[in-house]
Amino acid sequence: MSAPTAVLYDVPGPKARARNGALGVVAVIVVAALLAFVVVRLIATGQFEGRVWEWILYENIQLALLEGLLNTLRAFAVGAVLALAFGAVFALGRLSDHAWVRGLSTAVVEFFRAVPLVVLMFIFYFGMPSVGVTVSTFTAVVVALTLYNGSVLAEIFRSGVQAVPRGQSEAAYALGMRKSAVMRFVLLPQAVRSMLPTIVSQLVVLLKDSALGFLILYPELLYQARVLGSSGQLGRPLLPVAFVVALAYITLCLLLTALAGYLERRTRRVAPAPAVVDEGA
């Protein structure tokens, strides 16, 4: 075991392993008991009876849920592309050699990271008309998602580039490469592979954040679920609708994670060796 590892983590002894095992068993029992209690209550209140789920057989309801899902995907797709672009631009700004560019980029990133996403949505949808600018719910959701998640992605990109050993860039500069070439051919290929899991995690957050659009009446999946779940004509099937919507979000997140895993494996397989590997060069 290396010295840093030994300092940060001590291998547990027999008593610690026994204690950890006992705590793990207790935790499993507690979680299982809570799940069992929830299932029993759902059964007792008739949440699994056929009549409670009849609403899902209506074509209009299926179309409404499909429309909500498509609107969610539309906001996510546009917001993800713009957030990635925003993050890349301001990450480069924070890595700039010019102090004024670094300062401006830092101010923008830190400001939008600090403002809650819901506040941004409210500002763009409810606040902009007061200055004569009216935006749609879709635009307000996408712009808010872009600014907030793009600022977080900017920090991810910056930290990923800075995590590449300094010797890599120093050796590249010694070979006469320009900064743009060093960034493109030396730093980014290595940084992207290490950043990919974190980037995907943030995109999953962006996907779930799109659900906040229902607060400004953007007709995404959660908005449709609220409308259907509170419908008196359908018997207010709030829990069944919530289960369906939750399953849809879980499926989307799992698909996104699977896609990221595929891209990571493909990148690792086809990525060329770093242009400079000898830090002592």
Side-chain angles (χ1 to χ4, degrees):
M1 180 182 297
S2 63
T5 305
V7 172
L8 295 175
Y9 178 74
D10 292 330
V11 177
K15 291 184 178 180
R17 288 197 297 270
R19 182 173 61 252
N20 293 341
L23 292 175
V25 171
V26 171
V28 170
I29 293 175
V30 170
V31 172
L34 290 175
L35 290 177
F37 174 77
V38 171
V39 172
V40 169
R41 293 306 307 163
L42 291 174
I43 294 174
T45 54
Q47 297 300 324
F48 295 120
E49 295 180 3
R51 61 177 179 80
V52 180
W53 292 85
E54 290 179 353
W55 56 272
I56 205 171
L57 300 177
Y58 296 110
E59 182 179 359
N60 290 338
I61 293 178
Q62 296 172 1
L63 292 175
L65 290 174
L66 179 60
E67 180 186 1
L69 178 61
L70 293 177
N71 286 332
T72 294
L73 292 176
R74 188 161 64 106
F76 164 72
V78 178
V81 171
L82 294 179
L84 288 170
F86 182 96
V89 169
F90 281 91
L92 291 176
R94 296 204 64 182
L95 295 170
S96 174
D97 294 332
H98 304 285
W100 70 271
V101 176
R102 288 199 310 272
L104 179 61
S105 300
T106 299
V108 171
V109 169
E110 294 301 329
F111 175 79
F112 287 114
R113 284 177 63 201
V115 180
L117 180 59
V118 175
V119 174
L120 288 176
M121 290 185 183
F122 276 47
I123 289 175
F124 287 109
Y125 186 67
F126 296 113
M128 296 301 289
S130 63
V131 294
V133 179
T134 302
V135 298
S136 65
T137 55
F138 173 76
T139 301
V141 169
V142 168
V143 173
L145 290 174
T146 298
L147 295 177
Y148 179 79
N149 291 280
S151 298
V152 177
L153 286 169
E155 287 298 282
I156 294 174
F157 294 153
R158 182 181 66 87
S159 60
V161 171
Q162 290 182 330
V164 177
R166 185 181 296 272
Q168 299 281 329
S169 57
E170 291 176 348
Y173 288 130
L175 293 175
M177 298 177 68
R178 295 178 178 272
K179 183 175 181 178
S180 59
V182 173
M183 184 68 68
R184 230 175 23 249
F185 299 116
V186 178
L187 299 180
L188 285 180
Q190 300 178 71
V192 167
R193 290 195 294 274
S194 63
M195 291 187 299
L196 192 56
T198 310
I199 292 173
V200 173
S201 297
Q202 189 59 39
L203 292 180
V204 170
V205 172
L206 189 152
L207 173 62
K208 293 186 290 187
D209 283 348
S210 66
L212 295 175
F214 89 95
L215 294 173
I216 58 173
L217 304 182
Y218 176 61
E220 46 76 54
L221 196 55
L222 187 59
Y223 173 84
Q224 299 291 0
R226 186 183 65 171
V227 172
L228 296 174
S230 60
S231 174
Q233 294 179 343
L234 301 176
R236 293 185 173 82
L238 182 59
L239 283 180
V241 173
F243 290 152
V244 172
V245 171
L247 180 61
Y249 276 110
I250 291 172
T251 302
L252 292 175
C253 291
L254 291 178
L255 289 175
L256 184 60
T257 304
L259 176 61
Y262 167 77
L263 293 176
E264 184 178 11
R265 291 191 299 271
R266 184 176 178 84
T267 303
R268 190 184 303 117
R269 184 169 60 250
V270 303
V276 181
V277 295
D278 185 6
E279 295 186 21

mmCIF file of all heavy atoms in Angstrom, residues 182-223:
data_model
loop_
_atom_site.group_PDB
_atom_site.id
_atom_site.type_symbol
_atom_site.label_atom_id
_atom_site.label_comp_id
_atom_site.label_asym_id
_atom_site.label_seq_id
_atom_site.Cartn_x
_atom_site.Cartn_y
_atom_site.Cartn_z
ATOM 1 N N VAL A 182 -1.684 22.458 -28.040
ATOM 2 C CA VAL A 182 -1.507 21.705 -26.793
ATOM 3 C C VAL A 182 -2.860 21.322 -26.201
ATOM 4 O O VAL A 182 -3.068 20.196 -25.759
ATOM 5 C CB VAL A 182 -0.683 22.533 -25.783
ATOM 6 C CG1 VAL A 182 -0.648 21.843 -24.430
ATOM 7 C CG2 VAL A 182 0.725 22.753 -26.304
ATOM 8 N N MET A 183 -3.777 22.282 -26.215
ATOM 9 C CA MET A 183 -5.109 22.011 -25.680
ATOM 10 C C MET A 183 -5.829 20.948 -26.497
ATOM 11 O O MET A 183 -6.463 20.041 -25.952
ATOM 12 C CB MET A 183 -5.927 23.305 -25.665
ATOM 13 C CG MET A 183 -7.300 23.179 -25.033
ATOM 14 S SD MET A 183 -7.237 22.886 -23.261
ATOM 15 C CE MET A 183 -6.594 24.462 -22.688
ATOM 16 N N ARG A 184 -5.714 21.041 -27.839
ATOM 17 C CA ARG A 184 -6.456 20.161 -28.724
ATOM 18 C C ARG A 184 -5.885 18.749 -28.770
ATOM 19 O O ARG A 184 -6.633 17.775 -28.755
ATOM 20 C CB ARG A 184 -6.447 20.759 -30.143
ATOM 21 C CG ARG A 184 -7.810 20.829 -30.744
ATOM 22 C CD ARG A 184 -7.899 21.505 -32.092
ATOM 23 N NE ARG A 184 -6.705 21.561 -32.886
ATOM 24 C CZ ARG A 184 -6.038 22.665 -33.158
ATOM 25 N NH1 ARG A 184 -6.441 23.799 -32.642
ATOM 26 N NH2 ARG A 184 -4.982 22.664 -33.938
ATOM 27 N N PHE A 185 -4.564 18.626 -28.813
ATOM 28 C CA PHE A 185 -3.941 17.338 -29.078
ATOM 29 C C PHE A 185 -3.354 16.661 -27.845
ATOM 30 O O PHE A 185 -3.096 15.457 -27.868
ATOM 31 C CB PHE A 185 -2.833 17.492 -30.132
ATOM 32 C CG PHE A 185 -3.328 17.990 -31.452
ATOM 33 C CD1 PHE A 185 -2.910 19.213 -31.945
ATOM 34 C CD2 PHE A 185 -4.244 17.256 -32.190
ATOM 35 C CE1 PHE A 185 -3.375 19.691 -33.165
ATOM 36 C CE2 PHE A 185 -4.714 17.726 -33.407
ATOM 37 C CZ PHE A 185 -4.285 18.943 -33.892
ATOM 38 N N VAL A 186 -3.126 17.429 -26.783
ATOM 39 C CA VAL A 186 -2.477 16.857 -25.598
ATOM 40 C C VAL A 186 -3.421 16.805 -24.401
ATOM 41 O O VAL A 186 -3.627 15.751 -23.800
ATOM 42 C CB VAL A 186 -1.200 17.647 -25.244
ATOM 43 C CG1 VAL A 186 -0.553 17.077 -23.987
ATOM 44 C CG2 VAL A 186 -0.214 17.625 -26.403
ATOM 45 N N LEU A 187 -3.996 17.963 -24.067
ATOM 46 C CA LEU A 187 -4.782 18.039 -22.833
ATOM 47 C C LEU A 187 -6.189 17.474 -22.987
ATOM 48 O O LEU A 187 -6.629 16.644 -22.187
ATOM 49 C CB LEU A 187 -4.838 19.491 -22.349
ATOM 50 C CG LEU A 187 -3.488 20.132 -22.006
ATOM 51 C CD1 LEU A 187 -3.686 21.565 -21.546
ATOM 52 C CD2 LEU A 187 -2.768 19.321 -20.941
ATOM 53 N N LEU A 188 -6.932 17.939 -24.004
ATOM 54 C CA LEU A 188 -8.331 17.536 -24.133
ATOM 55 C C LEU A 188 -8.528 16.027 -24.320
ATOM 56 O O LEU A 188 -9.421 15.451 -23.704
ATOM 57 C CB LEU A 188 -8.998 18.304 -25.273
ATOM 58 C CG LEU A 188 -9.329 19.767 -24.972
ATOM 59 C CD1 LEU A 188 -9.986 20.424 -26.172
ATOM 60 C CD2 LEU A 188 -10.221 19.884 -23.749
ATOM 61 N N PRO A 189 -7.719 15.348 -25.182
ATOM 62 C CA PRO A 189 -7.943 13.900 -25.323
ATOM 63 C C PRO A 189 -7.841 13.131 -24.008
ATOM 64 O O PRO A 189 -8.579 12.173 -23.781
ATOM 65 C CB PRO A 189 -6.836 13.474 -26.306
ATOM 66 C CG PRO A 189 -6.544 14.703 -27.085
ATOM 67 C CD PRO A 189 -6.689 15.832 -26.111
ATOM 68 N N GLN A 190 -6.930 13.579 -23.141
ATOM 69 C CA GLN A 190 -6.788 12.905 -21.851
ATOM 70 C C GLN A 190 -7.865 13.357 -20.865
ATOM 71 O O GLN A 190 -8.387 12.549 -20.092
ATOM 72 C CB GLN A 190 -5.400 13.190 -21.272
ATOM 73 C CG GLN A 190 -4.257 12.719 -22.152
ATOM 74 C CD GLN A 190 -2.906 13.074 -21.567
ATOM 75 O OE1 GLN A 190 -2.474 12.509 -20.576
ATOM 76 N NE2 GLN A 190 -2.241 14.044 -22.195
ATOM 77 N N ALA A 191 -8.180 14.659 -20.920
ATOM 78 C CA ALA A 191 -9.144 15.191 -19.960
ATOM 79 C C ALA A 191 -10.550 14.679 -20.222
ATOM 80 O O ALA A 191 -11.289 14.375 -19.282
ATOM 81 C CB ALA A 191 -9.127 16.720 -19.997
ATOM 82 N N VAL A 192 -10.935 14.562 -21.488
ATOM 83 C CA VAL A 192 -12.300 14.141 -21.818
ATOM 84 C C VAL A 192 -12.581 12.752 -21.280
ATOM 85 O O VAL A 192 -13.666 12.480 -20.751
ATOM 86 C CB VAL A 192 -12.517 14.198 -23.347
ATOM 87 C CG1 VAL A 192 -13.795 13.476 -23.732
ATOM 88 C CG2 VAL A 192 -12.580 15.642 -23.812
ATOM 89 N N ARG A 193 -11.616 11.849 -21.413
ATOM 90 C CA ARG A 193 -11.834 10.483 -20.917
ATOM 91 C C ARG A 193 -12.043 10.474 -19.413
ATOM 92 O O ARG A 193 -12.870 9.718 -18.896
ATOM 93 C CB ARG A 193 -10.655 9.594 -21.309
ATOM 94 C CG ARG A 193 -10.573 9.296 -22.792
ATOM 95 C CD ARG A 193 -9.640 8.137 -23.078
ATOM 96 N NE ARG A 193 -8.263 8.463 -22.742
ATOM 97 C CZ ARG A 193 -7.409 9.079 -23.550
ATOM 98 N NH1 ARG A 193 -7.816 9.467 -24.754
ATOM 99 N NH2 ARG A 193 -6.171 9.326 -23.186
ATOM 100 N N SER A 194 -11.321 11.296 -18.694
ATOM 101 C CA SER A 194 -11.479 11.324 -17.237
ATOM 102 C C SER A 194 -12.735 12.086 -16.808
ATOM 103 O O SER A 194 -13.315 11.812 -15.757
ATOM 104 C CB SER A 194 -10.240 11.961 -16.590
ATOM 105 O OG SER A 194 -10.095 13.306 -17.004
ATOM 106 N N MET A 195 -13.152 13.056 -17.640
ATOM 107 C CA MET A 195 -14.320 13.882 -17.281
ATOM 108 C C MET A 195 -15.643 13.232 -17.657
ATOM 109 O O MET A 195 -16.689 13.633 -17.137
ATOM 110 C CB MET A 195 -14.242 15.242 -17.981
ATOM 111 C CG MET A 195 -13.155 16.159 -17.490
ATOM 112 S SD MET A 195 -13.300 17.800 -18.265
ATOM 113 C CE MET A 195 -13.108 17.392 -19.990
ATOM 114 N N LEU A 196 -15.633 12.256 -18.564
ATOM 115 C CA LEU A 196 -16.878 11.751 -19.134
ATOM 116 C C LEU A 196 -17.889 11.289 -18.083
ATOM 117 O O LEU A 196 -19.071 11.652 -18.159
ATOM 118 C CB LEU A 196 -16.574 10.627 -20.126
ATOM 119 C CG LEU A 196 -17.741 10.184 -21.008
ATOM 120 C CD1 LEU A 196 -18.318 11.361 -21.784
ATOM 121 C CD2 LEU A 196 -17.293 9.087 -21.975
ATOM 122 N N PRO A 197 -17.497 10.494 -17.070
ATOM 123 C CA PRO A 197 -18.503 10.100 -16.061
ATOM 124 C C PRO A 197 -19.138 11.296 -15.341
ATOM 125 O O PRO A 197 -20.346 11.308 -15.091
ATOM 126 C CB PRO A 197 -17.696 9.224 -15.090
ATOM 127 C CG PRO A 197 -16.545 8.728 -15.897
ATOM 128 C CD PRO A 197 -16.200 9.850 -16.822
ATOM 129 N N THR A 198 -18.324 12.298 -15.029
ATOM 130 C CA THR A 198 -18.856 13.482 -14.341
ATOM 131 C C THR A 198 -19.753 14.293 -15.251
ATOM 132 O O THR A 198 -20.786 14.834 -14.816
ATOM 133 C CB THR A 198 -17.691 14.353 -13.831
ATOM 134 O OG1 THR A 198 -16.774 13.543 -13.109
ATOM 135 C CG2 THR A 198 -18.214 15.449 -12.922
ATOM 136 N N ILE A 199 -19.377 14.400 -16.524
ATOM 137 C CA ILE A 199 -20.213 15.124 -17.484
ATOM 138 C C ILE A 199 -21.574 14.456 -17.605
ATOM 139 O O ILE A 199 -22.620 15.123 -17.608
ATOM 140 C CB ILE A 199 -19.520 15.191 -18.857
ATOM 141 C CG1 ILE A 199 -18.274 16.075 -18.770
ATOM 142 C CG2 ILE A 199 -20.477 15.728 -19.918
ATOM 143 C CD1 ILE A 199 -17.437 16.064 -20.036
ATOM 144 N N VAL A 200 -21.576 13.123 -17.701
ATOM 145 C CA VAL A 200 -22.839 12.398 -17.828
ATOM 146 C C VAL A 200 -23.684 12.578 -16.573
ATOM 147 O O VAL A 200 -24.907 12.755 -16.649
ATOM 148 C CB VAL A 200 -22.583 10.914 -18.108
ATOM 149 C CG1 VAL A 200 -23.886 10.119 -18.078
ATOM 150 C CG2 VAL A 200 -21.900 10.740 -19.455
ATOM 151 N N SER A 201 -23.053 12.552 -15.422
ATOM 152 C CA SER A 201 -23.799 12.765 -14.171
ATOM 153 C C SER A 201 -24.475 14.126 -14.177
ATOM 154 O O SER A 201 -25.637 14.258 -13.752
ATOM 155 C CB SER A 201 -22.852 12.651 -12.968
ATOM 156 O OG SER A 201 -22.302 11.364 -12.876
ATOM 157 N N GLN A 202 -23.782 15.140 -14.680
ATOM 158 C CA GLN A 202 -24.390 16.473 -14.740
ATOM 159 C C GLN A 202 -25.501 16.526 -15.766
ATOM 160 O O GLN A 202 -26.502 17.229 -15.571
ATOM 161 C CB GLN A 202 -23.323 17.524 -15.042
ATOM 162 C CG GLN A 202 -23.812 18.944 -14.906
ATOM 163 C CD GLN A 202 -24.325 19.251 -13.503
ATOM 164 O OE1 GLN A 202 -23.736 18.799 -12.515
ATOM 165 N NE2 GLN A 202 -25.401 20.020 -13.403
ATOM 166 N N LEU A 203 -25.370 15.800 -16.871
ATOM 167 C CA LEU A 203 -26.439 15.756 -17.866
ATOM 168 C C LEU A 203 -27.674 15.045 -17.306
ATOM 169 O O LEU A 203 -28.806 15.404 -17.640
ATOM 170 C CB LEU A 203 -25.958 15.069 -19.140
ATOM 171 C CG LEU A 203 -24.898 15.829 -19.949
ATOM 172 C CD1 LEU A 203 -24.515 15.045 -21.193
ATOM 173 C CD2 LEU A 203 -25.387 17.222 -20.328
ATOM 174 N N VAL A 204 -27.463 14.038 -16.479
ATOM 175 C CA VAL A 204 -28.596 13.389 -15.806
ATOM 176 C C VAL A 204 -29.299 14.397 -14.896
ATOM 177 O O VAL A 204 -30.532 14.448 -14.830
ATOM 178 C CB VAL A 204 -28.124 12.159 -15.011
ATOM 179 C CG1 VAL A 204 -29.242 11.625 -14.118
ATOM 180 C CG2 VAL A 204 -27.653 11.059 -15.962
ATOM 181 N N VAL A 205 -28.508 15.205 -14.194
ATOM 182 C CA VAL A 205 -29.095 16.261 -13.351
ATOM 183 C C VAL A 205 -29.884 17.235 -14.213
ATOM 184 O O VAL A 205 -30.988 17.666 -13.852
ATOM 185 C CB VAL A 205 -27.979 16.990 -12.578
ATOM 186 C CG1 VAL A 205 -28.542 18.223 -11.859
ATOM 187 C CG2 VAL A 205 -27.325 16.060 -11.582
ATOM 188 N N LEU A 206 -29.336 17.590 -15.380
ATOM 189 C CA LEU A 206 -30.035 18.508 -16.286
ATOM 190 C C LEU A 206 -31.368 17.910 -16.735
ATOM 191 O O LEU A 206 -32.383 18.616 -16.806
ATOM 192 C CB LEU A 206 -29.148 18.815 -17.491
ATOM 193 C CG LEU A 206 -29.595 19.919 -18.448
ATOM 194 C CD1 LEU A 206 -28.390 20.564 -19.115
ATOM 195 C CD2 LEU A 206 -30.540 19.412 -19.525
ATOM 196 N N LEU A 207 -31.361 16.614 -17.042
ATOM 197 C CA LEU A 207 -32.599 15.951 -17.452
ATOM 198 C C LEU A 207 -33.655 16.039 -16.350
ATOM 199 O O LEU A 207 -34.825 16.364 -16.613
ATOM 200 C CB LEU A 207 -32.310 14.492 -17.796
ATOM 201 C CG LEU A 207 -33.516 13.600 -18.081
ATOM 202 C CD1 LEU A 207 -34.290 14.099 -19.289
ATOM 203 C CD2 LEU A 207 -33.079 12.152 -18.281
ATOM 204 N N LYS A 208 -33.261 15.772 -15.138
ATOM 205 C CA LYS A 208 -34.219 15.832 -14.028
ATOM 206 C C LYS A 208 -34.613 17.277 -13.703
ATOM 207 O O LYS A 208 -35.753 17.534 -13.296
ATOM 208 C CB LYS A 208 -33.625 15.132 -12.798
ATOM 209 C CG LYS A 208 -33.447 13.632 -12.987
ATOM 210 C CD LYS A 208 -32.990 12.940 -11.730
ATOM 211 C CE LYS A 208 -31.570 13.296 -11.379
ATOM 212 N NZ LYS A 208 -31.062 12.497 -10.233
ATOM 213 N N ASP A 209 -33.669 18.206 -13.882
ATOM 214 C CA ASP A 209 -33.985 19.616 -13.630
ATOM 215 C C ASP A 209 -35.049 20.145 -14.590
ATOM 216 O O ASP A 209 -35.762 21.106 -14.266
ATOM 217 C CB ASP A 209 -32.723 20.470 -13.764
ATOM 218 C CG ASP A 209 -31.820 20.362 -12.552
ATOM 219 O OD1 ASP A 209 -32.270 19.816 -11.529
ATOM 220 O OD2 ASP A 209 -30.655 20.799 -12.635
ATOM 221 N N SER A 210 -35.153 19.534 -15.772
ATOM 222 C CA SER A 210 -36.163 19.999 -16.731
ATOM 223 C C SER A 210 -37.574 19.856 -16.175
ATOM 224 O O SER A 210 -38.499 20.536 -16.635
ATOM 225 C CB SER A 210 -36.031 19.231 -18.050
ATOM 226 O OG SER A 210 -36.350 17.856 -17.874
ATOM 227 N N ALA A 211 -37.750 18.974 -15.182
ATOM 228 C CA ALA A 211 -39.065 18.796 -14.573
ATOM 229 C C ALA A 211 -39.534 20.053 -13.844
ATOM 230 O O ALA A 211 -40.743 20.244 -13.635
ATOM 231 C CB ALA A 211 -39.043 17.611 -13.601
ATOM 232 N N LEU A 212 -38.598 20.929 -13.464
ATOM 233 C CA LEU A 212 -38.993 22.167 -12.786
ATOM 234 C C LEU A 212 -39.751 23.102 -13.716
ATOM 235 O O LEU A 212 -40.331 24.083 -13.264
ATOM 236 C CB LEU A 212 -37.750 22.872 -12.231
ATOM 237 C CG LEU A 212 -36.997 22.126 -11.126
ATOM 238 C CD1 LEU A 212 -35.726 22.866 -10.765
ATOM 239 C CD2 LEU A 212 -37.882 21.959 -9.895
ATOM 240 N N GLY A 213 -39.729 22.802 -15.004
ATOM 241 C CA GLY A 213 -40.477 23.627 -15.939
ATOM 242 C C GLY A 213 -41.968 23.639 -15.686
ATOM 243 O O GLY A 213 -42.671 24.574 -16.129
ATOM 244 N N PHE A 214 -42.488 22.644 -14.956
ATOM 245 C CA PHE A 214 -43.930 22.637 -14.689
ATOM 246 C C PHE A 214 -44.342 23.822 -13.820
ATOM 247 O O PHE A 214 -45.510 24.233 -13.830
ATOM 248 C CB PHE A 214 -44.331 21.317 -14.027
ATOM 249 C CG PHE A 214 -44.252 21.313 -12.526
ATOM 250 C CD1 PHE A 214 -45.377 21.577 -11.759
ATOM 251 C CD2 PHE A 214 -43.059 21.041 -11.878
ATOM 252 C CE1 PHE A 214 -45.313 21.571 -10.384
ATOM 253 C CE2 PHE A 214 -42.980 21.027 -10.501
ATOM 254 C CZ PHE A 214 -44.116 21.293 -9.746
ATOM 255 N N LEU A 215 -43.379 24.407 -13.104
ATOM 256 C CA LEU A 215 -43.697 25.558 -12.256
ATOM 257 C C LEU A 215 -44.060 26.785 -13.070
ATOM 258 O O LEU A 215 -44.759 27.674 -12.575
ATOM 259 C CB LEU A 215 -42.512 25.865 -11.334
ATOM 260 C CG LEU A 215 -42.182 24.798 -10.277
ATOM 261 C CD1 LEU A 215 -40.889 25.148 -9.560
ATOM 262 C CD2 LEU A 215 -43.323 24.652 -9.288
ATOM 263 N N ILE A 216 -43.586 26.850 -14.310
ATOM 264 C CA ILE A 216 -43.962 27.970 -15.190
ATOM 265 C C ILE A 216 -44.876 27.468 -16.307
ATOM 266 O O ILE A 216 -44.974 28.088 -17.375
ATOM 267 C CB ILE A 216 -42.722 28.676 -15.770
ATOM 268 C CG1 ILE A 216 -41.850 27.704 -16.563
ATOM 269 C CG2 ILE A 216 -41.913 29.340 -14.666
ATOM 270 C CD1 ILE A 216 -40.705 28.392 -17.300
ATOM 271 N N LEU A 217 -45.503 26.309 -16.069
ATOM 272 C CA LEU A 217 -46.523 25.736 -16.964
ATOM 273 C C LEU A 217 -45.948 25.252 -18.291
ATOM 274 O O LEU A 217 -46.664 25.217 -19.301
ATOM 275 C CB LEU A 217 -47.657 26.745 -17.211
ATOM 276 C CG LEU A 217 -48.353 27.296 -15.955
ATOM 277 C CD1 LEU A 217 -49.467 28.237 -16.353
ATOM 278 C CD2 LEU A 217 -48.850 26.175 -15.071
ATOM 279 N N TYR A 218 -44.682 24.868 -18.307
ATOM 280 C CA TYR A 218 -44.150 24.230 -19.505
ATOM 281 C C TYR A 218 -44.711 22.809 -19.559
ATOM 282 O O TYR A 218 -44.572 22.046 -18.592
ATOM 283 C CB TYR A 218 -42.619 24.192 -19.463
ATOM 284 C CG TYR A 218 -42.010 23.464 -20.645
ATOM 285 C CD1 TYR A 218 -42.208 23.916 -21.942
ATOM 286 C CD2 TYR A 218 -41.233 22.328 -20.454
ATOM 287 C CE1 TYR A 218 -41.645 23.254 -23.022
ATOM 288 C CE2 TYR A 218 -40.674 21.657 -21.525
ATOM 289 C CZ TYR A 218 -40.886 22.122 -22.804
ATOM 290 O OH TYR A 218 -40.337 21.458 -23.880
ATOM 291 N N PRO A 219 -45.356 22.401 -20.668
ATOM 292 C CA PRO A 219 -46.079 21.122 -20.697
ATOM 293 C C PRO A 219 -45.174 19.905 -20.844
ATOM 294 O O PRO A 219 -45.276 19.147 -21.796
ATOM 295 C CB PRO A 219 -46.992 21.284 -21.922
ATOM 296 C CG PRO A 219 -46.238 22.184 -22.835
ATOM 297 C CD PRO A 219 -45.519 23.162 -21.937
ATOM 298 N N GLU A 220 -44.260 19.716 -19.895
ATOM 299 C CA GLU A 220 -43.401 18.544 -19.933
ATOM 300 C C GLU A 220 -44.048 17.402 -19.148
ATOM 301 O O GLU A 220 -45.230 17.466 -18.810
ATOM 302 C CB GLU A 220 -42.005 18.891 -19.414
ATOM 303 C CG GLU A 220 -41.977 19.707 -18.135
ATOM 304 C CD GLU A 220 -42.299 18.892 -16.914
ATOM 305 O OE1 GLU A 220 -41.642 17.859 -16.694
ATOM 306 O OE2 GLU A 220 -43.202 19.290 -16.175
ATOM 307 N N LEU A 221 -43.288 16.371 -18.885
ATOM 308 C CA LEU A 221 -43.849 15.145 -18.324
ATOM 309 C C LEU A 221 -44.465 15.354 -16.943
ATOM 310 O O LEU A 221 -45.569 14.873 -16.664
ATOM 311 C CB LEU A 221 -42.755 14.077 -18.262
ATOM 312 C CG LEU A 221 -43.199 12.629 -18.067
ATOM 313 C CD1 LEU A 221 -44.198 12.208 -19.137
ATOM 314 C CD2 LEU A 221 -41.987 11.702 -18.079
ATOM 315 N N LEU A 222 -43.779 16.054 -16.083
ATOM 316 C CA LEU A 222 -44.304 16.269 -14.736
ATOM 317 C C LEU A 222 -45.552 17.144 -14.753
ATOM 318 O O LEU A 222 -46.479 16.942 -13.954
ATOM 319 C CB LEU A 222 -43.225 16.904 -13.851
ATOM 320 C CG LEU A 222 -43.578 17.030 -12.373
ATOM 321 C CD1 LEU A 222 -43.891 15.673 -11.766
ATOM 322 C CD2 LEU A 222 -42.432 17.695 -11.605
ATOM 323 N N TYR A 223 -45.605 18.119 -15.664
ATOM 324 C CA TYR A 223 -46.795 18.962 -15.793
ATOM 325 C C TYR A 223 -48.005 18.107 -16.182
ATOM 326 O O TYR A 223 -49.091 18.243 -15.602
ATOM 327 C CB TYR A 223 -46.552 20.045 -16.832
ATOM 328 C CG TYR A 223 -47.780 20.875 -17.161
ATOM 329 C CD1 TYR A 223 -48.137 21.956 -16.363
ATOM 330 C CD2 TYR A 223 -48.583 20.561 -18.255
ATOM 331 C CE1 TYR A 223 -49.260 22.713 -16.661
ATOM 332 C CE2 TYR A 223 -49.693 21.313 -18.558
ATOM 333 C CZ TYR A 223 -50.043 22.383 -17.762
ATOM 334 O OH TYR A 223 -51.151 23.122 -18.051
#
